[in-house]
Amino acid sequence: MNKTQQKKAHFIIHSASAAAAAVGAGMAQLPFPDATVLLPIQTAMVIALGKVFHIKLEEGTAKALATQFLAQKAGQLTARFLVGKLPVAGNVINGSTAAAITESYGWIIAKEFSEDYAKKGKA
């Protein structure tokens, strides 16, 4: 990953993580998991990262990647949802966890896309 790609990935991932934190904190006391709102944020992040590394993704593919990742994190999401029922502390924990999950997912995808980009001889 060159410096320009890294700066772009950094901006995309941190923006998505900040949005995820806001959603997680804001939805902590609602009666349904915030994954329904996190999925579109993470899907958009994956598509944007694909553009940085010249990888064309259809929305369905990006959504499938995000859904798979969220499914793997289901235990954390469930625990966070239950903790989210606590006023104030739940909001902080829910928001922090949503941001951390999105951040780690973003860097995992960026690394994979960067490796694919390098294999194509464009690095």
Side-chain angles (χ1 to χ4, degrees):
M1 179 177 334
N2 65 38
K3 287 188 180 204
T4 301
Q5 290 170 326
Q6 188 171 10
K7 284 181 183 180
K8 288 178 180 179
H10 187 272
F11 177 77
I12 291 165
I13 293 166
H14 290 323
S15 296
S17 296
V23 166
M27 295 182 65
Q29 280 79 40
L30 295 179
F32 57 90
D34 55 11
T36 56
V37 181
L38 291 176
L39 185 58
I41 292 169
Q42 292 176 344
T43 299
M45 177 181 69
V46 171
I47 291 170
L49 288 170
K51 289 179 183 178
V52 170
F53 297 100
H54 306 287
I55 296 172
K56 186 175 178 176
L57 292 168
E58 297 296 324
E59 186 176 338
T61 303
K63 190 174 184 177
L65 287 171
T67 301
Q68 179 183 9
F69 184 77
L70 284 173
Q72 292 170 351
K73 296 295 182 181
Q76 289 174 329
L77 292 170
T78 302
R80 192 178 78 222
F81 175 69
L82 296 173
V83 169
K85 298 303 174 199
L86 304 171
V88 183
N91 295 75
V92 172
I93 293 167
N94 210 34
S96 299
T97 307
I101 288 172
T102 301
E103 184 82 16
S104 65
Y105 177 53
W107 286 113
I108 289 168
I109 291 295
K111 182 177 183 253
E112 290 294 320
F113 286 176
S114 175
E115 290 172 2
D116 287 348
Y117 185 78
K119 284 178 187 175
K120 292 177 184 175
K122 298 179 181 179

